[in-house]
Amino acid sequence: VPRRTGPRERIVTELQQLDTFIAAQALYTRLALAGDRISMSTVYRTLHLLVGLGRVDVMSDGHGQRLYRHRPGLTHFHYLTCRRCGLARAVEASVVEDWAEQVRAAHGFAHLDHKVELSGVCGPCADETH
Amino acid sequence: VPRRTGPRERIVTELQQLDTFIAAQALYTRLALAGDRISMSTVYRTLHLLVGLGRVDVMSDGHGQRLYRHRPGLTHFHYLTCRRCGLARAVEASVVEDWAEQVRAAHGFAHLDHKVELSGVCGPCADETH
DNA sequence: GTATTTGCAAAGTGTTTGCAGAATA
DNA sequence: TATTCTGCAAACACTTTGCAAATAC
């Protein structure tokens, strides 16, 4: 049974205030700037815990770093992220889920899992380019 | 202009013989076992080069390690991989490409890029579980 | 002959772990 | 009080880099 502690509460709160994915290190820095002296170990351990509990989603940034984000709801999500500002919107993806199931059946696979990531440049960020 | 060298040829050949994603380290080991004493640096540098040339696809294994695979054709691919044996089949995904375009338009994003990964247990591997 | 590539060893990243003291239930 | 959590520093795993010798063109 996980305990309710100061560091954990602050980490969760900080994550919930973001609508972006964030690296463990960046999260650590934000907390530090906010005056919370929480160690990297605790940040990593807490993120692990939250991922395990399904309260946080992870994605890899393609350069060996993992990014975390508070999960906006109770189920599995897919995100559309802005490469410029980091904004990450959860998107409806039943089309993909259905397609995945068909592919699974067609190839005789079992226990299918899927991952979908969309990234681009959001409207506001695109406008800033003049 | 990239040069045609022994180490590079052997790396490409080895990758082409696999229908799975493989880690740089594992590739290095395979080459060593085959009698090719190619340094880790060269393996990494060559993989980078090939990715840049679009001849190799990369994915992250979710634990901070990158996996590489010879790209079976000229364009962008999506794979269905077996978590048990590593087999990675390229799959048709126009449904997903279309869906991605719709999501892009609906959210006012530009320059959309997407990544789709399917993983499961292939037929043969599932049969082995009794 | 010139520019590129290689191997080596060292340095860099991001993440995990052992342990003793602090905190929670 | 019994267990879980924290911070610290050291350990890790994977990847990148500087440099001099080797190689391709």
Side-chain angles (χ1 to χ4, degrees), chain A residues 63, chain B residues 2 8 12 15 43-58 66 68-71 74:
Chain A
H63 297 286
Chain B
R8 287 183 181 171
V12 170
L15 281 171
V43 171
Y44 277 111
R45 285 191 276 226
T46 303
L47 286 172
H48 265 170
L49 179 69
L50 295 171
V51 169
L53 295 174
R55 297 191 49 189
V56 159
D57 285 316
V58 204
R66 260 161 288 173
Y68 304 84
R69 190 202 138 116
H70 163 246
R71 180 178 291 183
L74 335 92

Coordinates of all heavy atoms in Angstrom, one line a residue, chain A residues 63, chain B residues 2 8 12 15 43-58 66 68-71 74, chain D residues 16:
Chain A
H63 N 15.3 10.0 -28.2 CA 16.7 10.2 -28.0 C 17.1 9.5 -26.6 O 17.9 10.1 -25.9 CB 17.1 11.7 -27.9 CG 16.8 12.3 -29.3 ND1 17.7 12.1 -30.3 CD2 15.9 13.1 -29.7 CE1 17.2 12.8 -31.4 NE2 16.1 13.4 -31.0
Chain B
P2 N 29.1 9.3 -48.5 CA 29.5 8.2 -47.6 C 30.4 7.2 -48.4 O 30.0 6.9 -49.6 CB 28.2 7.5 -47.2 CG 27.2 8.6 -47.5 CD 27.7 9.3 -48.7
R8 N 31.0 -1.2 -42.9 CA 29.6 -0.8 -43.2 C 28.9 -1.9 -44.0 O 27.7 -2.2 -43.8 CB 29.6 0.5 -44.1 CG 30.0 1.7 -43.2 CD 30.0 3.0 -43.9 NE 30.3 4.1 -43.0 CZ 30.6 5.3 -43.4 NH1 30.5 5.6 -44.7 NH2 30.8 6.2 -42.5
V12 N 25.3 -3.7 -42.8 CA 24.1 -3.7 -43.6 C 23.7 -5.2 -43.9 O 22.5 -5.5 -43.8 CB 24.4 -3.0 -45.0 CG1 23.3 -3.2 -45.9 CG2 24.6 -1.5 -44.7
L15 N 22.1 -6.8 -40.9 CA 20.7 -6.3 -40.7 C 19.7 -6.9 -41.7 O 18.6 -7.2 -41.3 CB 20.7 -4.7 -40.8 CG 21.3 -4.0 -39.6 CD1 21.4 -2.5 -40.0 CD2 20.3 -4.2 -38.4
V43 N 29.6 0.6 -35.1 CA 28.3 0.1 -35.2 C 27.3 1.3 -35.0 O 26.4 1.5 -35.8 CB 28.0 -1.0 -34.1 CG1 26.5 -1.3 -34.1 CG2 28.8 -2.2 -34.4
Y44 N 27.5 2.0 -33.9 CA 26.6 3.2 -33.6 C 26.6 4.2 -34.7 O 25.6 4.6 -35.2 CB 27.0 3.8 -32.3 CG 26.4 3.2 -31.1 CD1 27.2 2.5 -30.2 CD2 25.0 3.2 -30.8 CE1 26.7 1.9 -29.0 CE2 24.5 2.6 -29.7 CZ 25.3 1.9 -28.8 OH 24.8 1.3 -27.7
R45 N 27.8 4.5 -35.2 CA 27.9 5.5 -36.2 C 27.3 5.1 -37.5 O 26.6 5.8 -38.2 CB 29.4 5.9 -36.4 CG 29.9 6.8 -35.3 CD 31.3 7.4 -35.6 NE 32.4 6.5 -35.3 CZ 33.5 6.8 -34.6 NH1 33.6 8.1 -34.1 NH2 34.4 6.0 -34.3
T46 N 27.5 3.8 -37.8 CA 26.9 3.3 -39.1 C 25.3 3.3 -39.0 O 24.6 3.6 -39.9 CB 27.4 1.9 -39.4 OG1 28.9 2.0 -39.5 CG2 26.9 1.4 -40.7
L47 N 24.9 2.9 -37.8 CA 23.4 2.8 -37.7 C 22.8 4.2 -37.8 O 21.8 4.4 -38.5 CB 23.0 2.3 -36.3 CG 23.2 0.8 -36.2 CD1 23.0 0.3 -34.7 CD2 22.3 0.0 -37.1
H48 N 23.5 5.2 -37.3 CA 23.1 6.6 -37.4 C 23.0 7.0 -38.9 O 22.0 7.5 -39.4 CB 24.1 7.5 -36.8 CG 23.7 7.9 -35.4 ND1 24.5 8.6 -34.5 CD2 22.5 7.7 -34.7 CE1 23.9 8.7 -33.4 NE2 22.7 8.2 -33.4
L49 N 24.0 6.6 -39.6 CA 24.1 6.9 -41.0 C 23.0 6.3 -41.7 O 22.3 7.0 -42.5 CB 25.4 6.4 -41.5 CG 25.7 6.6 -43.0 CD1 25.9 8.1 -43.3 CD2 26.9 5.8 -43.4
L50 N 22.7 5.0 -41.5 CA 21.7 4.3 -42.2 C 20.3 4.9 -41.9 O 19.4 5.0 -42.7 CB 21.7 2.8 -41.8 CG 23.0 2.1 -42.4 CD1 23.1 0.7 -41.8 CD2 23.0 2.1 -43.9
V51 N 20.1 5.3 -40.6 CA 18.8 5.9 -40.3 C 18.6 7.2 -41.0 O 17.6 7.4 -41.6 CB 18.7 6.1 -38.7 CG1 17.5 7.0 -38.4 CG2 18.7 4.8 -38.0
G52 N 19.7 7.9 -41.1 CA 19.6 9.2 -41.8 C 19.3 9.0 -43.3 O 18.7 9.8 -43.9
L53 N 19.8 7.9 -43.8 CA 19.6 7.6 -45.3 C 18.2 6.9 -45.5 O 17.9 6.6 -46.6 CB 20.7 6.6 -45.8 CG 22.1 7.2 -45.8 CD1 23.1 6.1 -46.2 CD2 22.2 8.3 -46.8
G54 N 17.5 6.6 -44.4 CA 16.2 6.0 -44.5 C 16.3 4.5 -44.9 O 15.3 3.9 -45.3
R55 N 17.5 3.9 -44.6 CA 17.6 2.5 -44.9 C 17.3 1.7 -43.7 O 17.3 0.4 -43.8 CB 19.0 2.2 -45.5 CG 19.2 3.0 -46.8 CD 20.5 2.5 -47.4 NE 20.6 1.0 -47.5 CZ 21.6 0.4 -47.9 NH1 22.7 1.0 -48.3 NH2 21.6 -0.9 -48.0
V56 N 17.2 2.3 -42.6 CA 17.0 1.6 -41.3 C 15.9 2.3 -40.5 O 15.8 3.5 -40.5 CB 18.3 1.5 -40.5 CG1 18.0 1.2 -39.1 CG2 19.2 0.4 -41.1
D57 N 15.0 1.5 -39.8 CA 14.0 2.1 -39.0 C 14.4 1.9 -37.5 O 15.1 1.0 -37.2 CB 12.7 1.4 -39.2 CG 12.0 1.8 -40.5 OD1 12.0 3.0 -40.8 OD2 11.5 1.0 -41.2
V58 N 14.0 2.8 -36.7 CA 14.4 2.8 -35.3 C 13.1 2.7 -34.4 O 12.1 3.3 -34.8 CB 15.1 4.1 -34.8 CG1 15.9 3.8 -33.6 CG2 15.8 4.7 -35.9
R66 N 17.6 1.8 -27.9 CA 17.0 1.9 -29.2 C 17.2 0.6 -30.0 O 18.2 0.0 -29.9 CB 17.6 3.1 -30.0 CG 16.7 4.3 -29.9 CD 17.5 5.6 -30.2 NE 18.3 5.9 -29.1 CZ 19.2 6.9 -29.1 NH1 19.3 7.7 -30.3 NH2 19.9 7.2 -28.1
Y68 N 17.0 -1.3 -33.9 CA 17.1 -1.0 -35.3 C 16.7 -2.1 -36.2 O 16.8 -3.3 -35.9 CB 18.6 -0.6 -35.7 CG 19.1 0.5 -34.8 CD1 19.6 0.2 -33.5 CD2 19.1 1.8 -35.3 CE1 20.1 1.3 -32.7 CE2 19.5 2.8 -34.5 CZ 20.0 2.6 -33.2 OH 20.5 3.6 -32.4
R69 N 16.2 -1.8 -37.4 CA 15.8 -2.8 -38.3 C 15.9 -2.3 -39.7 O 15.5 -1.2 -40.1 CB 14.3 -3.2 -38.1 CG 13.8 -4.4 -38.8 CD 12.3 -4.4 -39.0 NE 12.1 -4.9 -40.3 CZ 11.5 -6.0 -40.7 NH1 11.0 -6.8 -39.8 NH2 11.4 -6.4 -41.9
H70 N 16.4 -3.2 -40.6 CA 16.5 -2.9 -42.0 C 15.1 -2.5 -42.5 O 14.2 -3.3 -42.3 CB 17.1 -4.1 -42.7 CG 16.9 -4.1 -44.2 ND1 16.1 -5.0 -44.9 CD2 17.4 -3.2 -45.1 CE1 16.1 -4.7 -46.1 NE2 16.9 -3.7 -46.3
R71 N 15.0 -1.4 -43.3 CA 13.7 -1.1 -43.8 C 13.4 -1.8 -45.1 O 14.2 -1.7 -46.1 CB 13.7 0.4 -44.1 CG 12.3 0.9 -44.7 CD 12.3 2.4 -44.9 NE 12.3 3.1 -43.7 CZ 12.2 4.4 -43.6 NH1 12.1 5.1 -44.7 NH2 12.2 5.0 -42.4
L74 N 10.9 1.2 -49.7 CA 11.4 2.6 -49.9 C 10.8 3.6 -49.0 O 11.3 4.7 -48.8 CB 11.3 3.0 -51.4 CG 11.2 1.8 -52.3 CD1 9.8 1.4 -52.6 CD2 11.9 2.2 -53.6
Chain D
dT16 P 24.0 8.0 -29.9 OP1 23.0 8.9 -30.3 OP2 24.5 6.9 -30.7 O5' 25.3 8.8 -29.4 C5' 25.1 9.8 -28.4 C4' 26.4 10.5 -28.1 O4' 27.3 9.5 -27.5 C3' 27.2 11.0 -29.4 O3' 27.4 12.4 -29.1 C2' 28.4 10.2 -29.5 C1' 28.6 9.7 -28.0 N1 29.3 8.4 -27.8 C2 30.4 8.4 -27.0 O2 30.9 9.4 -26.5 N3 31.0 7.2 -26.8 C4 30.5 6.0 -27.4 O4 31.1 4.9 -27.1 C5 29.4 6.1 -28.2 C7 28.8 4.9 -28.9 C6 28.8 7.3 -28.4

